Amino acid sequence: MYSSDQLRELLSTVPAPSLVGIGDNVLDCYLHEDLAYPGGNALNVAAYSRLFFGGDAGFIGIMGDDRFADHLRGVLDEIGVDRQRARTAHGWNGMAFVALDDDGDRRFVGSNRGGVQHELRLRITEQDHDYIARFTRMHTSVYSAIDRELAGIAERGTRISYDYSDDARRDDVAASAPHVEVGFFSGGSLSEGERDDLADFALASGMGIVVITRGAQGAMAYERGRRTAVGVKPVTAVDALGAGDAFITGFLAATAAGAELDACLDIAATTGALACTLRGAFGYPVGAGEDARVQLVKRHPVGRREARSAS
């Protein structure tokens, strides 16, 4: 069983990465605690890059102008994630809602449909391109709705990573793959054959590296003609929310340092485990209250297991 200090020591030799997250940002509202934690895949990867590695990190996305968005901006400032190119729009910030089930597992039970991000789409300007060029890597997700911008970013030399979760259609994977150096997929519900088929498809479509996470079963990474696996690092978990995003961050940091595929997976397993020692994705809660609960306007028919964010 690893302690958080031991996990941080394992990460101490990894050079600080340079990464900008673009797209989704939310507050994860824990209904059973009445607390809301900063989150969202693109924002989390930027935050973990800063918190776990001390890297140069930035974030571009659309935020609301409510008190939750104010809290989110304050947290980014506190941890040192640059947000100078983030937008502010009138309305609610994105919010996801988490509850405990009878087994004690956390489940996503609903959302506010993305808040201001639902009706607006991020457009990358020339000023954004100049800003993005300051960073070696850019990370985004299937929830960020910027696929049409990927070609322009890639053409300017920035390396792109993309979290497809388990929500991306094959047509979308094929269209984005030529611009994506590392693609991440959630494959906990897939058979071994289905995972191999997905990886072969993404690689044949032009993706450089494919990583398929499997929750408590670890993860697989694929390059053309090669695949390798890693298990999870045992840790006394406080909260698994964000572990998948932390896994991505570790893999990208190791990749940027020129590590081999096996070593990239090992560092990723380390950051994934470290995230499980933190409340929420990476801490920094704010009181939720009734103004959060009234935003639960879209309910999932069956709440998704919280562990899915690590799968």
Side-chain angles (χ1 to χ4, degrees):
M1 193 72 67
Y2 289 90
S3 70
S4 59
D5 287 343
Q6 289 173 321
L7 294 169
R8 290 184 184 277
E9 180 64 24
L10 292 174
L11 299 178
S12 64
T13 60
V14 180
S18 170
L19 180 146
V20 58
I22 301 182
D24 56 320
N25 66 98
V26 301
L27 278 296
D28 291 312
C29 180
Y30 282 30
L31 294 171
H32 55 290
E33 295 181 357
D34 199 31
L35 292 174
Y37 293 83
N41 176 264
L43 185 142
N44 281 345
V45 171
Y48 288 130
S49 185
R50 182 67 181 161
L51 291 169
F52 290 174
F53 298 103
D56 182 19
F59 175 75
I60 302 175
I62 302 173
M63 300 180 178
D65 62 355
D66 58 1
R67 70 178 180 92
F68 298 105
D70 289 341
H71 176 73
L72 197 56
R73 284 186 282 266
V75 170
L76 293 180
D77 291 345
E78 182 173 346
I79 67 177
V81 174
D82 187 274
R83 59 176 179 87
Q84 63 177 277
R85 299 302 305 170
R87 280 66 153 168
T88 299
H90 178 62
W92 290 335
N93 204 81
M95 186 167 283
F97 293 86
V98 181
L100 286 178
D101 66 11
D102 293 338
D103 298 324
D105 289 322
R106 289 172 173 79
R107 294 180 181 270
F108 286 106
V109 297
S111 72
N112 67 351
R113 301 184 187 275
V116 294
Q117 300 169 86
H118 178 67
E119 296 182 356
L120 302 175
R121 287 292 178 265
L122 190 62
R123 300 291 184 264
I124 302 299
T125 67
E126 284 303 316
Q127 290 84 357
D128 292 324
H129 280 301
D130 290 342
Y131 177 77
I132 294 167
R134 290 173 37 189
F135 300 90
T136 304
R137 293 172 182 272
M138 184 276 280
H139 179 76
T140 192
S141 79
V142 68
Y143 305 114
S144 299
I146 66 162
D147 285 26
R148 71 184 67 182
E149 307 285 355
L150 297 181
I153 295 171
E155 287 170 0
R156 289 166 171 82
T158 300
R159 296 179 176 181
I160 296 174
S161 59
Y162 193 118
D163 182 13
Y164 294 90
S165 187
D166 59 1
D167 289 336
R169 300 177 306 170
R170 289 238 170 167
D171 287 350
D172 294 329
V173 173
S176 58
H179 314 301
V180 174
E181 181 191 33
V182 187
F184 297 88
F185 298 84
S186 298
S189 64
L190 302 179
S191 68
E192 182 178 359
E194 289 171 330
R195 289 193 295 269
D196 289 348
D197 177 68
L198 174 59
D200 289 344
F201 174 80
L203 292 171
S205 299
M207 201 172 293
I209 299 172
V210 174
V211 180
I212 302 180
T213 54
R214 304 178 294 161
Q217 298 177 8
M220 302 287 301
Y222 301 77
E223 293 177 312
R224 287 171 181 80
R226 184 187 178 200
R227 74 172 187 173
T228 188
V230 70
V232 299
K233 286 191 178 344
V235 66
T236 301
V238 172
D239 190 342
L241 187 74
D245 299 341
F247 182 98
I248 289 171
T249 310
F251 192 93
L252 296 176
T255 300
E260 295 293 329
L261 206 57
D262 289 345
C264 291
L265 282 177
D266 186 68
I267 292 298
T270 303
T271 47
L274 183 56
C276 292
T277 68
L278 304 173
R279 300 290 294 173
F282 56 90
Y284 297 92
V286 64
E290 186 60 26
D291 53 340
R293 290 187 290 273
V294 297
Q295 296 182 51
L296 208 173
V297 294
K298 178 182 179 182
R299 295 178 181 271
H300 301 314
V302 178
R304 295 173 293 177
R305 282 188 181 275
E306 187 280 329
R308 182 178 174 279
S309 66
S311 65

